[in-house]
Amino acid sequence: MTTAAPRIHRTVRAALPAVVLAVLAALCLLGGATPAGAHAALTASTPARGAVVEEAPSEVTLTFTEGIAVSDDSIRVLAPDGERVDAGAPKRLPGGEGFRYGVELRRDGLPEGTYTVAWKAVSADSHPVAGGFTFSVGAPSETTVAVPAQEAGGGLVGALYATARWTAYAGFLLLVGGAAFVLACWPGAARVRPVQRLVVAGWVALTAATIAALLLRGPYTGSGRLGDAFDADGIRAVLGTGPGTALVSRLLLLAVAALFVSVLLGTYARRNTDGTDTGTGTGTAPGGEQAQRDRRDLVFGLSVGGAVVAAGLAATWATAEHASTGIQTGVAIPVHIVHLLAAAGWLGGLAVLLTALWRGPSVPREAVARFSRLALGCVAVLAATGLYQSWRQVGGWQALTSTPYGRLLLAKVALVALMIGVARASRRWTARLADAAPGEREEPGEPGGGARRTDGGDGAAGTEDTAGRKASARVAAGSGPAPDPAGVPTPERAAQLARQRAAADAARRRRERDADPVRAGLRRSVLAEAAVAVAVLTVTTVLTGTEPARTAEAAARAGTASTGQPAAGGEPVSLVSPFDTGGPEGKGSVHLDIDPGRSGDNTLHLRVTDPRGRTLDVPEVKVSFTLEAQDIGPLDATLEKASAGHWTASGLQLPMSGTWKAAVTVRTSDIDQTTERMTFHLP
């Protein structure tokens, strides 16, 4: 008990810098991935939000930006008295733009009044989404049903699930990055206890977080109650989903990874015992040529097997989250796998290097140089893959400056450029790092300790002898426990001497570390590189929580009136509807903006865009307005062309409040035209 506490204290202090870096990296990577992020968004519905229809519809349809997983209760339609009027399970509907889902309504004569549609599902990127809206049959009425305002995936379960995801990413970085550093940069690190602890801690963290995520998945996407985490039926339901399959696959891969770690830190570490191998795994080893061949085979097997396991672990994220939905999924999934592997090689290796520079043995120059090249390659891969992933979310150059997501992406690119500049400084320090002096050879230290010097100089042994003599003198002076009459040190004295030797050895290492200006400069530049990396990942945090430009533009095209949301008094009305005239280049969207959006005098702006959101100029557009409840209209708007694809009408008179219908006719050629109708409310 006397020596356990200092040993634990030293262990914690040695691992602290790497653990902090890994946690910060994981938090920055995942901290902003909230349920309100880039997930399935409702863009349209039939009936529309707030619409007033003359007859009860036979079904209610919802259109989303991406696919969703629906269950029997995913779409509920409630009558004014709160009774459910949907019949049967929701189903995917063919045709149309977007992802359409519908549920049939009862056919026994639905009463007039306001109906509530409440929906909750799991988007294709594995995150829960929920919402609700109302529409009316005949005329609006009082309703006993409140529109759901819950946050899907929130509460305590959501926080615990997010923590499990963060921990899983941190474990992945330490496990894969630490193993890559050992195999590619410094095989001798396999015998250094702080490195061993980092790699094992990564495996333990990833395994525990995966089990926790598997148990929490059901409550996270369903009830939201923590007590349902151990519900057998819920767990079976999760296992039948894509994310559940990915989590189980990750656990199976982690079982293989456990074997890999045991070989890496066991057999492989013992094959690098002479200290001559500083990075290639092919140095001279005891046993002759056969031993060298065996070691090369071991290195090859570990490298290939480790790469396969690491790619498989990364695939369990790529195939179950954002990369698996949207455009170009066949490209996005492998790109996301490479992105995760590059992040692990960079951040995990940086964690090992920081630990070694901070508390571990003297890192060989060749190992630092190899990691410098590895890190530069990883950063380049991260930049390329991240740019592609961002393009999938942005969609066009204009969105880089016109949307918050695009502006954050530009800030991230600037920080990456700064980080590369700091990395250049690290490489300059690496180039100046001299080899060990002639006659002096640094060996991998005893597990948990520093490097040993074998030149007979002022090494650890001399320091220990000096410390022992000083300790004996202090003991003789009465400052410590005395030996027994036979001259044999008592256990208390032996423990005291051991602590003094450890303290003297640590002080010697600090003096040597601080006396080397090159290594001190390298430590500072590596820490600066890590700080900029954290800043980059902080921007990534905000990016993952910011609505991607492609989704934002889709929601803007849908507009409030596309979903039928009534405009508040004095607020502009924005309408959007897709069209297809059937001719060449006949697809796009028409956008109407009515300002100030109330009965009386208004100004109308009409814009036409192509399917990618770019301005589309067409030969002719017309628009008229009808208030059927008061038998008013159609009222034709007098349009004037302001620019390509943009028309305006000032002094538009919509004389009464109520539910209006806008009919927009778009002609794209001499024979190709179509008319689209939208409903909105004026106060």
Coordinates of all heavy atoms in Angstrom, one line a residue, residues 194-229:
P194 N 3.4 3.2 -20.9 CA 2.4 4.2 -21.2 C 1.7 4.0 -22.5 O 0.5 4.2 -22.7 CB 3.2 5.6 -21.2 CG 4.3 5.3 -20.2 CD 4.7 3.9 -20.5
V195 N 2.5 3.6 -23.5 CA 2.0 3.3 -24.8 C 1.1 2.0 -24.8 O 0.0 2.0 -25.3 CB 3.1 3.0 -25.9 CG1 2.5 2.6 -27.2 CG2 3.9 4.3 -26.0
Q196 N 1.5 1.0 -24.0 CA 0.7 -0.2 -23.9 C -0.7 0.2 -23.2 O -1.7 -0.3 -23.6 CB 1.4 -1.2 -23.0 CG 2.7 -1.8 -23.6 CD 3.4 -2.7 -22.7 OE1 3.2 -2.7 -21.5 NE2 4.3 -3.5 -23.2
R197 N -0.6 1.1 -22.2 CA -1.8 1.5 -21.5 C -2.8 2.2 -22.5 O -4.0 2.1 -22.4 CB -1.5 2.3 -20.3 CG -1.0 1.5 -19.1 CD -0.9 2.3 -17.9 NE 0.1 3.4 -17.9 CZ 1.3 3.2 -17.4 NH1 1.7 2.1 -16.9 NH2 2.2 4.2 -17.5
L198 N -2.2 3.1 -23.3 CA -3.0 3.8 -24.3 C -3.8 2.9 -25.2 O -5.0 3.0 -25.5 CB -2.2 4.8 -25.1 CG -1.8 6.1 -24.4 CD1 -0.9 6.9 -25.3 CD2 -3.0 6.9 -24.0
V199 N -3.0 1.9 -25.8 CA -3.7 1.0 -26.8 C -4.7 0.2 -26.1 O -5.8 0.0 -26.6 CB -2.6 0.2 -27.5 CG1 -3.2 -0.9 -28.4 CG2 -1.6 1.0 -28.2
V200 N -4.4 -0.4 -25.0 CA -5.4 -1.2 -24.2 C -6.6 -0.4 -23.8 O -7.7 -0.8 -23.9 CB -4.7 -1.9 -23.0 CG1 -5.8 -2.7 -22.2 CG2 -3.7 -2.9 -23.5
A201 N -6.3 0.8 -23.3 CA -7.4 1.7 -22.9 C -8.3 2.0 -24.1 O -9.6 2.1 -24.0 CB -6.9 3.0 -22.3
G202 N -7.7 2.2 -25.3 CA -8.5 2.4 -26.5 C -9.5 1.3 -26.8 O -10.7 1.4 -27.1
W203 N -8.9 0.0 -26.7 CA -9.8 -1.1 -26.9 C -10.9 -1.2 -25.9 O -12.1 -1.5 -26.2 CB -8.9 -2.4 -26.9 CG -9.7 -3.7 -27.2 CD1 -9.9 -4.2 -28.4 CD2 -10.4 -4.5 -26.3 NE1 -10.7 -5.3 -28.4 CE2 -11.0 -5.5 -27.0 CE3 -10.6 -4.5 -24.9 CZ2 -11.8 -6.5 -26.5 CZ3 -11.4 -5.5 -24.3 CH2 -11.9 -6.5 -25.1
V204 N -10.6 -1.0 -24.6 CA -11.6 -1.1 -23.6 C -12.6 -0.1 -23.7 O -13.8 -0.3 -23.6 CB -10.9 -1.0 -22.2 CG1 -11.9 -0.9 -21.1 CG2 -10.0 -2.2 -21.9
A205 N -12.2 1.2 -24.0 CA -13.2 2.3 -24.2 C -14.1 2.0 -25.4 O -15.3 2.2 -25.3 CB -12.5 3.6 -24.4
L206 N -13.6 1.5 -26.5 CA -14.4 1.3 -27.7 C -15.4 0.1 -27.4 O -16.5 0.2 -27.8 CB -13.5 1.0 -28.9 CG -14.2 0.7 -30.2 CD1 -15.1 1.8 -30.6 CD2 -13.1 0.5 -31.3
T207 N -14.9 -0.9 -26.7 CA -15.8 -2.1 -26.5 C -16.9 -1.7 -25.5 O -18.1 -2.0 -25.8 CB -15.0 -3.2 -25.9 OG1 -13.9 -3.6 -26.8 CG2 -15.9 -4.4 -25.6
A208 N -16.6 -1.0 -24.4 CA -17.6 -0.6 -23.5 C -18.6 0.4 -24.1 O -19.8 0.3 -23.9 CB -16.9 0.1 -22.2
A209 N -18.1 1.3 -24.9 CA -19.0 2.3 -25.5 C -19.9 1.6 -26.5 O -21.1 2.0 -26.7 CB -18.2 3.4 -26.2
T210 N -19.4 0.6 -27.2 CA -20.3 -0.1 -28.2 C -21.4 -0.9 -27.5 O -22.5 -0.9 -28.0 CB -19.4 -1.0 -29.0 OG1 -18.4 -0.3 -29.7 CG2 -20.2 -1.7 -30.1
I211 N -21.0 -1.5 -26.4 CA -22.1 -2.2 -25.7 C -23.1 -1.3 -25.1 O -24.3 -1.5 -25.2 CB -21.4 -3.0 -24.5 CG1 -20.5 -4.1 -25.1 CG2 -22.5 -3.7 -23.6 CD1 -19.7 -4.9 -24.0
A212 N -22.7 -0.1 -24.6 CA -23.6 0.9 -24.1 C -24.5 1.4 -25.2 O -25.7 1.6 -25.0 CB -22.8 2.0 -23.4
A213 N -23.9 1.7 -26.3 CA -24.7 2.2 -27.4 C -25.8 1.2 -27.9 O -26.9 1.5 -28.2 CB -23.8 2.6 -28.6
L214 N -25.4 -0.1 -27.9 CA -26.3 -1.1 -28.3 C -27.5 -1.2 -27.3 O -28.7 -1.4 -27.7 CB -25.6 -2.5 -28.3 CG -26.4 -3.7 -28.9 CD1 -26.8 -3.4 -30.4 CD2 -25.5 -4.9 -28.8
L215 N -27.2 -1.1 -26.0 CA -28.3 -1.1 -25.0 C -29.2 0.2 -25.1 O -30.4 0.1 -24.8 CB -27.7 -1.3 -23.6 CG -27.0 -2.6 -23.3 CD1 -26.4 -2.6 -22.0 CD2 -28.0 -3.8 -23.5
L216 N -28.5 1.3 -25.3 CA -29.3 2.6 -25.3 C -30.0 2.9 -26.6 O -30.8 3.8 -26.7 CB -28.3 3.7 -25.0 CG -27.7 3.8 -23.6 CD1 -26.6 4.8 -23.5 CD2 -28.8 4.1 -22.6
R217 N -29.7 2.1 -27.7 CA -30.2 2.4 -29.0 C -31.8 2.4 -29.0 O -32.4 3.2 -29.6 CB -29.7 1.4 -30.0 CG -30.1 1.6 -31.4 CD -29.5 2.8 -32.0 NE -30.2 3.1 -33.3 CZ -30.0 4.3 -34.0 NH1 -29.1 5.1 -33.5 NH2 -30.6 4.5 -35.1
G218 N -32.4 1.4 -28.3 CA -33.8 1.3 -28.3 C -34.5 2.5 -27.7 O -35.3 3.1 -28.2
P219 N -34.1 2.8 -26.4 CA -34.7 4.0 -25.8 C -34.3 5.3 -26.5 O -35.1 6.2 -26.6 CB -34.0 4.0 -24.4 CG -33.6 2.6 -24.1 CD -33.3 2.0 -25.5
Y220 N -33.2 5.4 -27.2 CA -32.8 6.6 -27.9 C -33.7 6.9 -29.1 O -34.0 8.0 -29.3 CB -31.3 6.4 -28.4 CG -30.8 7.5 -29.2 CD1 -30.6 8.8 -28.8 CD2 -30.4 7.2 -30.6 CE1 -30.1 9.8 -29.6 CE2 -30.0 8.2 -31.4 CZ -29.8 9.5 -30.9 OH -29.3 10.5 -31.7
T221 N -34.1 5.8 -29.8 CA -34.9 6.0 -31.0 C -36.4 5.8 -30.6 O -37.2 6.0 -31.5 CB -34.5 5.0 -32.1 OG1 -34.6 3.7 -31.6 CG2 -33.1 5.3 -32.5
G222 N -36.7 5.3 -29.4 CA -38.1 5.0 -29.1 C -38.6 5.8 -27.9 O -38.9 7.0 -28.0
S223 N -38.7 5.1 -26.8 CA -39.5 5.6 -25.7 C -38.8 6.8 -25.0 O -39.4 7.7 -24.4 CB -39.7 4.5 -24.6 OG -38.5 4.1 -24.1
G224 N -37.4 6.8 -25.0 CA -36.7 7.8 -24.3 C -36.5 7.5 -22.8 O -36.0 8.3 -22.1
R225 N -36.9 6.3 -22.4 CA -36.8 6.0 -21.0 C -35.6 5.1 -20.8 O -35.4 4.1 -21.4 CB -38.1 5.2 -20.5 CG -39.4 6.1 -20.5 CD -40.5 5.3 -19.9 NE -40.9 4.1 -20.6 CZ -41.8 4.0 -21.6 NH1 -42.4 5.1 -21.9 NH2 -42.0 2.9 -22.2
L226 N -34.8 5.5 -19.8 CA -33.6 4.7 -19.5 C -33.8 3.3 -19.1 O -33.1 2.4 -19.3 CB -32.7 5.5 -18.5 CG -31.4 4.9 -18.1 CD1 -30.5 4.9 -19.4 CD2 -30.7 5.7 -17.0
G227 N -35.0 3.1 -18.4 CA -35.3 1.8 -17.9 C -35.5 0.8 -19.0 O -35.4 -0.5 -18.8
D228 N -35.8 1.2 -20.2 CA -36.0 0.3 -21.4 C -34.7 -0.2 -22.0 O -34.7 -0.9 -23.0 CB -36.8 1.0 -22.4 CG -38.3 1.2 -21.9 OD1 -38.7 0.6 -21.0 OD2 -39.0 2.1 -22.5
A229 N -33.5 0.2 -21.4 CA -32.3 -0.2 -22.0 C -32.1 -1.7 -22.0 O -31.4 -2.3 -22.9 CB -31.1 0.5 -21.4

